[in-house]
Amino acid sequence: MDSFLDLFDPGTSPPTNCDVWPEDDDDATRLPPEPQMGNIEYKLKLTSPSKLRFEHLVTQLKWRLREGHGEAIYEIGVEDTGKLTGLSSDDMKSSLITLDQMALKLGATTSVLRERSVGKDKIVAEVLVRKVPDDQECIEVMVAVLGGADAGKSTLLGVLAHGEFDNGRGSARLNVLRHLHELRSGRTSSISHEILGFDTEGDVINYQKARTAEEIRDRSSKLITFLDLAGHKKYLKTTVAGLSGYCPNHVMLVVSSPAVNVSSPTQLDMTKEHMDLALALRLPFCIVVTKTDITPADNTINWLESVLKSIGCRKVPLVIKSDDDVITASSAQPAQNVVPIFTISSVTGENLDLLTRFLYVLPPSISIKEKERLEQECCQFQIDEIFKVPDIGTIVGGVLTQGVVNVATELVIGPLDNGTFVPVTVQSIHRNKAPCRVVKATQSASLNLEKAIPGLRNGMVLLGLGVNHSACIFFQARIVVLYHATSIHNGFQTTVHIGNIRQTAAIVAIMECDKRGMHTNDSASVIFKFARHPEYVTEGMRLLFREGQTKGIGIVTQVFALQVVAG
């Protein structure tokens, strides 16, 4: 396991030639040795296997699919040592037919991602095998969309989700913005959701091909849920709350191409700020440079490359120019060391196909084993939004971090201002704007509760009856100060983000620290006290804190349960 300092080190080492497919040169004829775990399998050839051998191959494929949460990558023509031997065209055709038959036996589908020549008349192929798990309707990946104001985030999502190009004056974003003041100002101030589906062949399923979200979900084997977050500095707290509360699998950082040329400090500063957030939360991310129809992206790419290669980031930028670059970038996402950069136009549609291709092959960030473990835990639902609908009642929206919730499940909600929890029953469930019967760990949903609960607020939780229902005012955390202009002492107040919790807290005690206080890059164990009301916090939760330019991260190490007086 990573050491504590490694856990908070936002940088990673640059990739070696083992992290990506080799280039077309005489020396690059090897991949890293076949991994024992994970969803990648090397096969030299699969021609005319015996019946017993075929059954063994099917069992092996089934295991790789479970490791990859329904997706597996087969490298055909590659030895177990990683040597790219290659196959003749006839042997490759026969091997792909065998792989199709293996997938068919499991109800899976195959698609060739890329082929490459090695040596004389020899080729290797990379094949994606996908099978939607039996207990799921489709494979889901949540992508948070970040970037400064006027970067074109909402416009890009409008083009992706609705399949119509922008007219150059923001027509595409009208389908995404939620409030009247957002339409008038053109700035996103809330958290909104959009979806994009893919069928088994990799074709896009959006509102241009399906009339409702339910139809998109039913026709898709893979579903991308976009979390559109605010870009303006005044809404930064909302953006941080969305990142920490919804726990996205991936981040798409959007920056407009003209921003660097006109030296827009606001947008560039927010781009760096949002990149720091992704690094602090250890989320893999890609970068999308928009508005290339207005300004060439060369200067913007140079600026991004200098930021990504800096000491605080230590990433390797990869400008995506072809389908082969897309596959290389997606295969490097689990290691989080390669950052793909796309240059697109929402007006002309330039390179949008490369971005959608990347989303199609983007792997889920959580393994099937981890997901199954979370589903076995007692349920915990983080509340991020609250609605009161006439004749229906109270509806809460958020993310189920662990467990399984069905219709008629009995839960408790809280903590209220006095630290207590109240029993409730789930009346109905909606996911992706459509009704459903069950929601499982890592999925976002809206739950209709059977009765109105006074005093509900964002940051509360729904817990299973078997969970210890105790709130806290005081908690201890091990923190690292990423930046502070002076020094932090007892009494320092800051906004703390822990999951879906966002509240002012004061540092009441600092351990392992002298009278100088805490400065930039210092780490210590501190005790926080919430300023207004108790919250539900558990050991091991990650936290972010910020106040003005001050920012830091940490892990909760101890919780001091609030003693609730009966009556």
Side-chain angles (χ1 to χ4, degrees):
M1 180 168 178
D2 295 338
S3 67
F4 181 79
L5 291 179
D6 290 335
L7 184 63
F8 289 109
D9 182 8
T12 54
S13 300
T16 64
N17 61 353
C18 296
D19 293 313
V20 297
W21 265 43
E23 300 296 331
D24 289 324
D25 56 53
D26 295 335
D27 296 328
T29 58
R30 184 173 297 276
L31 289 174
E34 182 185 56
Q36 295 298 317
M37 309 298 291
N39 68 332
I40 298 177
E41 179 71 27
Y42 295 171
K43 288 298 176 191
L44 181 57
K45 61 181 178 178
L46 296 170
T47 56
S48 305
S50 64
K51 184 176 181 180
L52 183 62
R53 171 65 175 164
F54 182 80
E55 292 299 328
H56 172 74
L57 292 172
V58 171
T59 302
Q60 194 175 50
L61 173 59
K62 184 177 181 180
W63 187 81
R64 290 295 188 185
L65 287 170
R66 283 181 57 84
E67 285 287 293
H69 198 19
E71 293 182 337
I73 301 294
Y74 267 62
E75 309 285 2
I76 308 297
V78 181
E79 299 182 14
D80 290 345
T81 59
K83 182 180 180 181
L84 304 183
T85 302
L87 297 175
S88 65
S89 59
D90 291 339
D91 284 346
M92 179 60 71
K93 183 177 180 180
S94 176
S95 296
L96 292 178
I97 291 175
T98 301
L99 185 58
D100 283 340
Q101 293 172 343
M102 292 161 50
L104 183 63
K105 181 102 180 212
L106 296 175
T109 59
T110 64
S111 58
V112 178
L113 298 179
R114 56 179 169 177
E115 292 184 346
R116 178 166 293 173
S117 299
V118 289
K120 184 178 180 181
D121 300 329
K122 298 285 187 179
I123 55 175
V124 296
E126 188 167 34
V127 185
L128 171 67
V129 185
R130 175 174 292 163
K131 179 184 185 299
V132 177
D134 296 333
D135 58 349
Q136 286 183 226
E137 296 176 343
C138 57
I139 296 170
E140 297 184 44
V141 178
M142 180 177 287
V143 178
V145 184
L146 298 178
D150 303 321
K153 302 184 299 299
S154 299
T155 298
L156 174 60
L157 291 189
V159 172
L160 290 173
H162 294 268
E164 296 180 0
F165 294 156
D166 187 58
N167 64 356
R169 297 184 299 275
S171 62
R173 69 185 178 197
L174 299 180
N175 296 315
V176 178
L177 301 179
R178 299 173 59 188
H179 304 291
L180 181 60
H181 69 270
E182 293 179 331
L183 294 172
R184 290 173 176 171
S185 66
R187 291 175 176 171
T188 302
S189 62
S190 60
I191 300 173
S192 61
H193 301 259
E194 290 295 330
I195 59 174
L196 178 67
F198 296 94
D199 62 17
T200 56
E201 302 299 323
D203 295 328
V204 172
I205 307 295
N206 53 23
Y207 286 108
Q208 192 178 46
K209 298 183 179 180
R211 287 180 288 183
T212 64
E214 187 173 11
E215 187 178 348
I216 292 176
R217 185 191 63 185
D218 292 341
R219 293 174 56 183
S220 301
S221 64
K222 185 170 188 175
L223 194 68
I224 306 294
T225 301
F226 293 107
L227 200 64
D228 189 15
L229 300 175
H232 198 275
K233 187 174 183 179
K234 67 184 293 186
Y235 305 120
L236 185 58
K237 289 183 179 179
T238 301
T239 300
V240 177
L243 271 181
S244 61
Y246 278 92
C247 307
N249 307 115
H250 198 85
V251 168
M252 186 163 69
L253 184 61
V254 181
V255 56
S256 69
S257 185
V260 173
N261 293 339
V262 300
S263 298
S264 174
T266 302
Q267 185 177 144
L268 298 182
D269 288 346
M270 290 310 300
T271 299
K272 291 181 180 179
E273 186 81 29
H274 290 167
M275 188 184 297
D276 289 341
L277 288 174
L279 292 170
L281 292 171
R282 306 189 78 181
L283 293 172
F285 65 97
C286 66
I287 298 177
V288 177
V289 181
T290 60
K291 304 181 183 180
T292 57
D293 56 295
I294 299 176
T295 305
D298 297 342
N299 292 338
T300 306
I301 291 176
N302 292 336
W303 177 78
L304 288 170
E305 288 179 341
S306 65
V307 173
L308 291 170
K309 293 177 181 178
S310 63
I311 296 177
C313 192
R314 288 187 291 174
K315 302 290 184 180
V316 176
L318 174 61
V319 180
I320 305 300
K321 298 180 180 179
S322 65
D323 284 342
D324 196 63
D325 292 336
V326 169
I327 307 304
T328 298
S330 66
S331 63
Q333 289 306 292
Q336 298 187 23
N337 44 25
V338 174
V339 177
I341 301 176
F342 298 86
T343 57
I344 66 102
S345 169
S346 297
V347 176
T348 65
E350 177 191 5
N351 290 336
L352 271 174
D353 57 332
L354 296 179
L355 180 58
T356 54
R357 182 71 170 173
F358 175 75
L359 294 171
Y360 169 65
V361 297
L362 186 64
S365 62
I366 183 172
S367 67
I368 189 66
K369 289 184 179 180
E370 177 65 12
K371 192 172 189 302
E372 289 177 348
R373 184 191 69 79
L374 291 174
E375 290 176 0
Q376 297 300 318
E377 301 286 340
C378 197
C379 72
Q380 178 178 325
F381 185 89
Q382 296 182 347
I383 298 175
D384 296 297
E385 295 180 293
I386 300 172
F387 309 93
K388 292 184 179 179
V389 182
D391 301 326
I392 294 180
T394 301
I395 296 176
V396 296
V399 176
L400 184 66
T401 56
Q402 60 185 46
V404 177
V405 173
N406 298 278
V407 174
T409 298
E410 296 182 352
L411 305 168
V412 294
I413 190 170
L416 302 180
D417 288 346
N418 59 2
T420 59
F421 289 77
V422 179
V424 293
T425 303
V426 177
Q427 293 290 88
S428 62
I429 303 173
H430 273 66
R431 295 197 64 245
N432 299 321
K433 305 177 183 179
C436 63
R437 301 289 300 175
V438 62
V439 56
K440 299 184 178 182
T442 72
Q443 296 178 343
S444 59
S446 297
L447 311 180
N448 179 21
L449 306 182
E450 66 165 340
K451 62 181 180 180
I453 307 296
L456 289 187
R457 53 179 169 77
N458 296 348
M460 286 185 171
V461 292
L462 282 163
L463 301 175
L465 300 180
V467 175
N468 179 24
H469 310 141
S470 59
C472 73
I473 290 288
F474 295 90
F475 67 93
Q476 184 172 331
R478 180 78 177 179
I479 66 170
V480 174
V481 180
L482 299 180
Y483 177 79
H484 186 64
T486 56
S487 59
I488 295 177
H489 298 272
N490 291 344
F492 175 76
Q493 290 191 339
T494 180
T495 301
V496 175
H497 297 265
I498 309 176
N500 63 327
I501 297 169
R502 184 181 69 187
Q503 189 181 160
T504 299
I507 294 179
V508 296
I510 303 177
M511 281 73 79
E512 311 165 18
C513 183
D514 55 29
K515 295 181 180 180
R516 298 185 306 108
M518 296 185 66
H519 298 78
T520 300
N521 294 328
D522 284 351
S523 64
S525 290
V526 303
I527 295 179
F528 284 97
K529 178 185 178 182
F530 287 120
R532 291 187 296 167
H533 42 67
E535 302 281 10
Y536 180 75
V537 180
T538 58
E539 295 181 6
M541 296 181 73
R542 296 177 65 88
L543 68 88
L544 285 84
F545 64 90
R546 56 179 301 107
E547 187 62 38
Q549 295 298 316
T550 301
K551 51 189 173 183
I553 53 180
I555 289 182
V556 177
T557 56
Q558 187 175 358
V559 176
F560 304 97
L562 178 67
Q563 299 298 320
V564 179
V565 180

